[in-house]
Every structure is written in structure tokens, then in C-alpha cells.
């Protein structure tokens, strides 16, 4: 299942495009996201996946893997050769969990024989890793953002894994992301529920599940 926007003018520089889009997000709240639902700008078109609302950014495909009941198992944003996998998790009200989660990811990667090191990034401390795959070494960049009772984890692949400036429209999506935490009590680190929008779920029921279905916005 793919939600996509037509590609923007290729002559525009990614940084200029990002600045233009972020200008439209100016509100009395934070200068950029990921936003909590309570403080998000309301003048941006987004794909509602339940706990995550993803802004519609030109040139970005939202690839969603869901089970037969419409429960989303994986969300990956794709732009060219770059990808950004997103996850959102419950966190305590009093403190963030990214520092602890990042260290656990690092230890797990090292245990699997990968290289992993921390670096300062746009959202704070990131984790840069190189893992072995059947296709050869692959670079990954883990980004974490703590919010009110939630944490967003993003994993960049492609050139954006080693060069943040290459993230372009994917970074715009992360900056404009909205989290709907809900009021229900949840265990810390439990993934927040994601689901297909009703129209996409209805469409999926009528299509061959193995065939990605493009949907323009």
C-alpha cells in the first residue's frame, strides 16, 4: 500500500524546499515537530495512520505494511534512494526514553557484529551504524525524539544515513510529523497503535494484497 505525492520541481534545492515547507508550519507552538497532537499546526495535509499523522510532502512515498485487520506493522517513507522507517512508542510522563533505548540498540548492534557510534545530530544524540546484509554493508542512522508521553524513532537508510543534508523531503516529513498519543495508559515502550485510514483499508480489501496500490494526494 503506497501513499504518494507527485515529485516537486527537481531544480529546487532540498534545503530551500525544507525551509519553505517549515515556514508554513509557523504557529504559537514548537517551531517544528514531531508535534504532539495538542500543539500541531492544522493547515497541513497529513495521512492519518492513527498514532502517527504523516505530512504529505512532494516526492515522498509512504509505504505501509498492514495485516488483514488493517493494523499497520511497518511504516517506511521513501524518496529516491533514501528511506526513513518510523516507529512511535509510549513513554512515561516524567522523562524521555531515547537515551536508554539508544544504548540498547547500540549494544544489540555490537552484539551482532555491526559497528555503532553516537554522534550529535539535529535532534540531539543519534546512533550511526553499519550492518552486514546479503547485499553488502549497509549504513543506518537512528534518530530519536522524546515527546510528552511518547517517543518517535526514525531509521534512515541510503545517502541520508551518512549525510543528513541528503535527507531532504524525508527530513521535512519528520519535522512535520504529528503524534496522537491518546489518553489510554500503556506500558513504557509499547508501540502505539497504527492503522490504515478507512478508505485505504477498504481499498486493500478489494485488491490483491501482494500488489502495491498507488494513491495520489
Amino acid at each position: 500500500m503506497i501513499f504518494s505525492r507527485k515529485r516537486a520541481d527537481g531544480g529546487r534545492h532540498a534545503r530551500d524546499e525544507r525551509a519553505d515547507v517549515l515556514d508554513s508550519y509557523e504557529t504559537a507552538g514548537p517551531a517544528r515537530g514531531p508535534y504532539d497532537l495538542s500543539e500541531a499546526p492544522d493547515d497541513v495535509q497529513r495521512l492519518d495512520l492513527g498514532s502517527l499523522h504523516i505530512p504529505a510532502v512532494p516526492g515522498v512515498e509512504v509505504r505501509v505494511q498492514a495485516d488483514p485487520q488493517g493494523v499497520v506493522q511497518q511504516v517506511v517513507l521513501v524518496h529516491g534512494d533514501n528511506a526513513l522507517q518510523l516507529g512511535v512508542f509510549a513513554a512515561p510522563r516524567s522523562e524521555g526514553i531515547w537515551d536508554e533505548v539508544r544504548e540498547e540498540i547500540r549494544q544489540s548492534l555490537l552484539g551482532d557484529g555491526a559497528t555503532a557510534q553516537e554522534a550529535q545530530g539535529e535532534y540531539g544524540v543519534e546512533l550511526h551504524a553499519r550492518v552486514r546484509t546479503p547485499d553488502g554493508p549497509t549504513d543506518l542512522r537512528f534518530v530519536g525524539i522524546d515527546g510528552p508521553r511518547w517517543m518517535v524513532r526514525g531509521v534512515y537508510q541510503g545517502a541520508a544515513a551518512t549525510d543528513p543534508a541528503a535527507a531532504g523531503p524525508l527530513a521535512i516529513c519528520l519535522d512535520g510529523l504529528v503524534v496522537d498519543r491518546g489518553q489510554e495508559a500503556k506500558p513504557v515502550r509499547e508501540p502505539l497503535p497504527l492503522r490504515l485510514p478507512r478508505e485505504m483499508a477498504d481499498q486493500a480489501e478489494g485488491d490483491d494484497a501482494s500488489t502495491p496500490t498507488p494513491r495520489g494526494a
Side-chain angles (χ1 to χ4, degrees):
M1 183 69 64
I2 299 176
F3 174 86
S4 63
R5 293 276 295 184
K6 292 182 179 179
R7 186 176 300 277
D9 179 5
R12 295 190 63 188
H13 192 285
R15 288 184 181 274
D16 293 337
E17 179 185 358
R18 186 176 181 188
D20 289 345
V21 173
L22 291 180
D23 284 345
S24 70
Y25 291 164
E26 290 181 356
T27 67
R32 67 173 185 182
Y35 301 96
D36 188 74
L37 183 65
S38 64
E39 58 193 13
D42 59 6
D43 58 347
V44 178
Q45 181 186 7
R46 301 185 184 90
L47 178 66
D48 182 354
L49 297 179
S51 294
L52 284 181
H53 299 189
I54 300 173
V57 173
V60 174
E61 291 180 343
V62 182
R63 299 184 179 178
V64 178
Q65 179 181 339
D67 65 18
Q69 286 71 47
V71 177
V72 174
Q73 307 295 323
Q74 182 172 270
V75 178
V76 180
L77 313 186
V78 179
H79 180 264
D81 294 330
N82 290 315
L84 173 61
Q85 182 178 355
L86 293 173
V88 61
F89 306 87
R93 185 185 301 274
S94 58
E95 60 183 359
I97 60 174
W98 171 234
D99 288 346
E100 185 177 343
V101 169
R102 186 179 66 252
E103 177 59 20
E104 292 182 1
I105 294 172
R106 190 180 75 87
Q107 293 296 337
S108 177
L109 289 166
L110 294 175
D112 290 338
T115 62
Q117 60 183 5
E118 294 183 342
Q120 191 67 29
E122 203 167 10
Y123 284 100
V125 181
E126 304 176 344
L127 188 63
H128 298 185
R130 174 165 289 185
V131 300
R132 292 191 297 265
T133 72
D135 297 325
T138 297
D139 291 309
L140 303 174
R141 178 162 63 97
F142 295 82
V143 178
I145 303 100
D146 288 309
R149 300 174 65 218
W150 51 260
M151 183 200 76
V152 168
R153 184 195 64 206
V155 186
Y156 282 104
Q157 298 181 56
T162 54
D163 179 12
L170 295 182
I172 295 174
C173 288
L174 186 59
D175 286 346
L177 196 68
V178 173
V179 177
D180 183 357
R181 167 63 176 79
Q183 300 303 315
E184 182 180 350
K186 293 183 179 298
V188 173
R189 302 196 193 187
E190 179 176 300
L192 297 180
L194 298 172
R195 53 167 173 71
L196 291 176
R198 181 179 299 277
E199 64 272 19
M200 293 178 70
D202 292 344
Q203 186 178 24
E205 289 179 1
D207 293 333
D208 184 348
S210 64
T211 303
T213 303
R215 182 176 187 271

